[in-house]
């Protein structure tokens, strides 16, 4: 032994090749003899060998880095790696605690040996940590130094951390993955070593109080151990551990098995089948275990294994669905079990698709009930809500043909409740994603029918629900061809009229149901946009009857009225404003259908209510859009021009109460441009000239302003009527109202600018 003390103080520290050769020859010749002699002693050879190894450990930091591995691997080679490798590792870690480079060196040293030797080293290392926990340690006294600063707990933690780090080495994991390359499983010896390691780490964990740092490190070590096992062997060991009386081991094994299943994409049928073979034991745990956490983890494992089923596993799937839909899972009062059960059912739907049809009646009503509960009061939970949305989404995606009629109605109503509940952003995203899938996957005729059936539910649940309901309609329209929309145009138009009816529905309701005026405006705008996008895909033959239906709809109401439904008229003329504004000259002829309604509104008193004023403005703006885009001489026809001209000029009588410049004057100007006829211009001017002599200064001012506007837009065409206007212009120059007088001067100036000469002589 003294020779190694000399070597550690001298030769091992040298950097030359000669010294390295001397050390190697000395080790090759002396170490085997020492080892043989120590075998004959009564004491454990590890005690004596540790003294030999300590000399090398003491010289570690002085040995040139590039020679260290050769020296220490040579030392292990001369001894028995199975018996003494772990001791050298422990001595190194004890000498240099919390040194990552030393742990890496130990990992490199162990990597030079096969899997079995490495596992034996790991097993001995855990045994040593167990020995440290004993009241009277034996071998650990010779390998681990204990001082005031290095307590037993400190040493145990350091060794456990090192064990976990080395176990996680990617090279070891790769070696484990390749180990069963010539067979389906690891050798029985290796499997036995893994089983022993699992049991020993569990014993370690039980030696300390739950929740301690040491206990946490044991859990990490156990996870690292499970992680390196090939899937087929993990399943084999897992099946054994499920029957273990130690529920802590079972729980940890389940947790690790679940982690593996999350990322598992088995390419081998044998691995897939091995996972499926575990399901009966997992189901038994769910049904019989008194340990809630164990049941829940088992349920998560079943969820991940569910993706391995196929349509031929009818009997196995039936058993899974039976347990999942039972009081232990889906019908449990525990939200965690409800969520896990619903996610498992979602996976089964994805795998089985049409094959899940027979199981749907068993679970759909319960899932709908959970969805309803997830959005109520203090019991509301986002996880349960989102799990239900995922389940509905896969149903709509994979068996959409079945999700029609009452089934689809129930889902849409549930979504309305969710939208009204004010859930968080994630819940809203999940719900909308599910509704997008409904639009893509469900046959449009079924979806239109359900949208119609559940429309009142959407309205009653407030603006958010109404908006999503309307968006669903818009999404369906967006994916349909022109021919498909033409075939179903009547159903779609009926839905749009329901959307247009929001304003009237709120007017006859006892409360506003959460809608404010700005939200009503936004929702009507969305409805109008959807209607316009539909109309773009229709021809005149298809749409004209629908347009007439819309006109008739404005005249109807659910209560006895003396006239048209003003709320529907407001919405309708809002729509017509965009209709004529977007489709322009293509739809000018449709104005002939609204002349009667428009003139009826204009001939009534706009000041009788707020709604009357709003309707009055919408009608005038709508007519203005129609005038503006007339390219077919539609408004030159006397039957079209005359009634509108008379009604528009009559509006100036309201000049003292309503601003004419924003609606009436621009509309009159556009009508004059569209009429493009001296006779029509004369008719229009005939209606305006008497207004210039009105007793009301506001009326005179508005009439002058209108004449100025017409003069500016039509120029010489309008000034062909100048002789008729000159007497009144002369009178206006002497008007007592300063505003009228000033506006008259502007008008005269504009006339002179167009004619290029003064009209003063004409006014004498």
């Amino acid at each position: 032994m003294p020779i190694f003390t000399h070597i550690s103080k001298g030769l091992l520290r040298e950097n030359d090749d000669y010294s390295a050769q001397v050390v190697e020859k000395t080790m090759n010749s002396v170490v085997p003899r020492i080892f043989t002699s120590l075998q004959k002693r009564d004491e454990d050879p590890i005690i004596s060998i540790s003294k030999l190894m300590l000399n090398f450990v003491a010289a570690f930091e002085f040995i040139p880095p590039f020679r260290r591995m050769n020296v220490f691997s040579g030392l292990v080679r001369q001894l028995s790696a199975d018996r003494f490798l772990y001791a050298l590792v422990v001595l190194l870690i004890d000498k240099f605690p919390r040194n990552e480079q030393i742990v890496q060196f130990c990992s490199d040293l162990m990597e030079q040996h096969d899997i079995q030797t490495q596992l034996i080293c790991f097993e001995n290392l855990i045994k040593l940590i167990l020995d440290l926990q004993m009241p009277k340690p034996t071998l650990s006294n010779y390998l681990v130094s204990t001082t005031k600063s290095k307590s037993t707990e400190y040493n145990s933690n350091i060794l456990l951390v090192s064990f976990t780090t080395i176990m996680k080495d990617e090279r070891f994991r790769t070696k484990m993955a390749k180990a069963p390359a010539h067979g389906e499983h690891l050798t029985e010896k290796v499997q036995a070593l893994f089983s022993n390691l699992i049991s020993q780490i569990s014993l370690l964990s039980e030696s300390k109080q739950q929740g301690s740092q040491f206990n946490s490190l044991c859990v990490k070590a156990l996870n690292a151990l499970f992680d390196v096992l090939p899937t087929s062997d993990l399943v084999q060991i897992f099946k054994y551990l499920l029957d273990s009386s130690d529920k802590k081991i079972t729980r940890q094994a389940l947790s690790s098995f679940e982690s593996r299943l999350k990322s598992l994409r088995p390419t081998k049928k044998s691995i897939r089948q091995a996972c499926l073979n575990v399901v009966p034991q997992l189901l038994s745990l769910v049904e019989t275990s008194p340990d809630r956490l164990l049941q829940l983890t088992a349920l998560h494992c079943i969820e991940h294994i569910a993706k391995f089923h196929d349509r031929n596993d009818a009997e196995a799937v039936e058993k899974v669905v039976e347990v999942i839909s039972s009081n232990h899972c889906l019908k449990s009062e525990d939200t965690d079990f409800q969520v896990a059960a619903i996610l498992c059912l979602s996976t089964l739907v994805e795998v089985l698709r049409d094959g899940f049809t027979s199981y749907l009646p068993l679970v759909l009503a319960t899932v709908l009930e959970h969805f309803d509960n997830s959005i109520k009061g203090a019991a509301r939970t986002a996880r349960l809500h989102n799990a239900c949305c995922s389940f509905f989404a896969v149903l709509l995606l994979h068996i959409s043909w079945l999700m029609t009629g009452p089934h689809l109605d129930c889902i849409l109503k549930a979504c309305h409740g969710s939208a009204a509940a004010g859930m968080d952003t994630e819940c809203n995203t999940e719900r909308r994603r599910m509704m997008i899938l409904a639009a893509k996957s469900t046959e449009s005729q079924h979806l239109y029918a359900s949208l119609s059936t559940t429309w009142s539910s959407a309205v009653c649940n407030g603006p958010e629900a109404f908006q999503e309901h309307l968006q669903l309609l818009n999404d369906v329209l967006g994916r349909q061809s022109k021919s498909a929309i033409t075939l179903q145009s009547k159903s779609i138009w009926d839905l749009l009229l329901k959307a247009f009816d929001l304003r009237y529905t709120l007017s006859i309701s006892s409360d506003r149901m959460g809608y404010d005026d700005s939200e009503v405006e936004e929702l009507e705008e969305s409805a109008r946009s959807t209607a316009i996008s539909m109309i773009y895909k229709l021809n005149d033959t298809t749409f004209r009857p629908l347009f007439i239906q819309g006109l008739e709809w404005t005249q109807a109401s659910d209560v006895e009225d003396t006239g048209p439904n003003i709320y529907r008229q407001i919405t309708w003329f809002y729509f017509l404003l965009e209709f004529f504004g977007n489709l322009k000259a293509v739809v000018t002829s449709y104005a002939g259908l609204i002349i009667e309604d428009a003139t009826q509104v204009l001939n009534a008193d706009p000041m009788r209510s707020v709604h009357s004023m709003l309707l009055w403005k919408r009608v005038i703006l709508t007519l203005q859009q129609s005038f503006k885009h007339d390219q077919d001489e539609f408004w030159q026809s006397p039957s079209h021009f005359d009634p509108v001209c008379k009604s528009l000029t009559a509006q100036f009588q309201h000049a003292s109460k309503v601003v004419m410049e924003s609606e009436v004057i621009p509309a009159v100007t556009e009508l004059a441009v569209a009429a493009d006829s001296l006779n029509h211009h004369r008719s229009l001017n005939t209606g305006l000239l008497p207004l210039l002599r009105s007793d009301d200064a506001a009326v005179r001012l508005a009439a002058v302003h209108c004449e100025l506007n017409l003069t500016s837009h039509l120029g010489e065409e309008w000034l062909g009527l100048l002789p008729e206007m000159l007497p009144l212009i002369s009178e206006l120059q002497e008007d007592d109202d300063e505003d009228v007088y000033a506006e008259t001067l502007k008008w005269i100036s504009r006339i002179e600018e167009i004619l290029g000469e003064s009209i003063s002589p004409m006014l004498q």
Side-chain angles (χ1 to χ4, degrees), residues 68-259:
R68 287 173 183 169
M69 187 55 67
N70 288 335
V71 170
F72 282 88
S73 60
L75 176 61
V76 172
R77 191 167 52 251
Q78 297 303 325
L79 304 171
S80 170
D82 286 354
R83 294 178 63 187
F84 301 110
L85 176 58
Y86 86 96
L88 182 57
V89 169
V90 170
L91 288 170
L92 283 167
I93 294 172
D94 182 66
K95 176 69 175 176
F96 308 101
R98 299 191 182 280
N99 188 319
E100 294 181 3
Q101 292 182 344
I102 292 298
V103 176
Q104 184 59 51
F105 179 81
C106 293
S107 182
D108 295 341
L109 185 61
M110 290 178 64
E111 264 313 302
Q112 298 190 8
H113 302 278
D114 59 28
I115 289 176
Q116 184 168 312
T117 299
Q118 286 180 268
L119 288 173
I120 291 172
C121 178
F122 283 129
E123 182 182 25
N124 287 330
L125 182 57
I126 295 299
K127 285 180 179 177
L128 183 77
I129 300 174
L130 275 169
D131 185 61
L132 274 171
Q133 315 309 310
M134 299 298 177
K136 293 182 179 181
T138 54
L139 290 179
S140 57
N141 284 336
Y142 299 96
L143 299 176
V144 180
S145 58
T146 303
T147 63
K148 287 185 178 180
S149 61
K150 290 183 63 183
S151 63
T152 298
E153 183 178 359
Y154 174 87
N155 288 328
S156 299
N157 289 351
I158 291 295
L159 290 173
L160 257 181
V161 170
S162 302
F163 169 91
T164 304
T165 303
I166 297 171
M167 180 70 74
K168 288 182 175 180
D169 191 298
E170 195 59 38
R171 293 169 297 176
F172 181 60
R173 296 168 67 92
T174 303
K175 191 182 291 186
M176 286 297 302
K178 294 180 179 179
H182 301 293
E184 291 295 328
H185 302 287
L186 297 169
T187 63
E188 291 184 5
K189 174 65 176 174
V190 171
Q191 286 190 4
L193 287 169
F194 267 104
S195 297
N196 290 339
L197 274 169
I198 293 169
S199 300
Q200 288 163 1
I201 294 174
S202 180
L203 287 173
L204 266 181
S205 180
E206 291 176 357
S207 67
K208 296 290 183 180
Q209 185 178 0
Q210 290 289 330
S212 65
Q213 182 185 6
F214 183 78
N215 189 268
S216 176
L217 292 174
C218 288
V219 171
K220 290 181 180 179
L222 200 56
N223 277 335
L225 187 61
F226 284 129
D227 284 346
V228 299
L229 272 170
T231 302
S232 55
D233 293 282
L234 177 62
V235 173
Q236 291 297 322
I237 292 176
F238 173 70
K239 289 178 68 176
Y240 161 75
L241 292 175
L242 280 180
D243 297 325
S244 171
S245 58
D246 188 339
K247 295 307 174 189
K248 185 177 181 182
I249 293 181
T250 306
R251 193 182 303 119
Q252 192 56 51
L254 266 173
S255 180
S256 298
F257 188 47
E258 180 193 358
S259 298

Side-chain angles (χ1 to χ4, degrees), residues 521-534:
E521 294 283 351
E522 290 176 7
L523 292 168
E524 286 188 342
E525 183 179 353
S526 296
R528 293 194 297 271
S529 176
T530 301
I532 296 298
S533 65
M534 169 204 174

Side-chain angles (χ1 to χ4, degrees), residues 556-573:
S557 65
D558 296 333
V559 295
E560 291 186 5
D561 286 336
T562 57
N565 188 320
I566 190 170
Y567 298 99
R568 288 180 175 174
Q569 282 188 309
I570 291 171
T571 304
W572 179 248
F573 276 97

Side-chain angles (χ1 to χ4, degrees), residues 297-325:
T297 310
L299 189 53
H300 288 315
C301 290
I302 295 170
E303 173 200 340
H304 295 302
I305 295 175
K307 61 190 175 187
F308 303 147
H309 283 289
D310 59 41
R311 301 183 185 186
N312 298 322
D313 296 335
E315 186 176 345
V317 171
E318 184 174 354
K319 179 61 178 175
V320 171
V321 175
E322 180 184 336
V323 174
I324 294 300
S325 59

Side-chain angles (χ1 to χ4, degrees), residues 638-668:
S639 61
H640 300 149
F641 176 85
D642 291 343
V644 172
C645 175
K646 182 179 179 181
S647 295
L648 278 177
T649 54
Q651 302 311 304
F652 286 91
Q653 63 182 309
H654 306 300
S656 59
K657 300 175 182 178
V658 184
V659 177
M660 297 287 108
E661 285 77 3
S662 55
E663 287 93 17
V664 177
I665 293 176
V668 170

Side-chain angles (χ1 to χ4, degrees), residues 610-626:
V610 174
H611 301 297
S612 299
M613 176 56 67
L614 182 59
L615 175 59
W616 180 81
K617 290 182 178 181
R618 293 307 111 191
V619 169
I620 294 176
L621 290 174
T622 299
L623 290 173
Q624 180 187 343
Q625 285 296 319
S626 178

Side-chain angles (χ1 to χ4, degrees), residues 275-312:
C275 292
L276 291 172
N277 291 340
V278 181
V279 172
Q281 288 175 277
L282 293 171
L283 292 173
S284 178
L285 271 178
V286 171
E287 290 184 294
T288 62
S289 176
D291 187 326
R292 175 186 176 280
L293 186 57
L294 198 62
Q295 285 180 302
L296 193 57
T297 310
L299 189 53
H300 288 315
C301 290
I302 295 170
E303 173 200 340
H304 295 302
I305 295 175
K307 61 190 175 187
F308 303 147
H309 283 289
D310 59 41
R311 301 183 185 186
N312 298 322

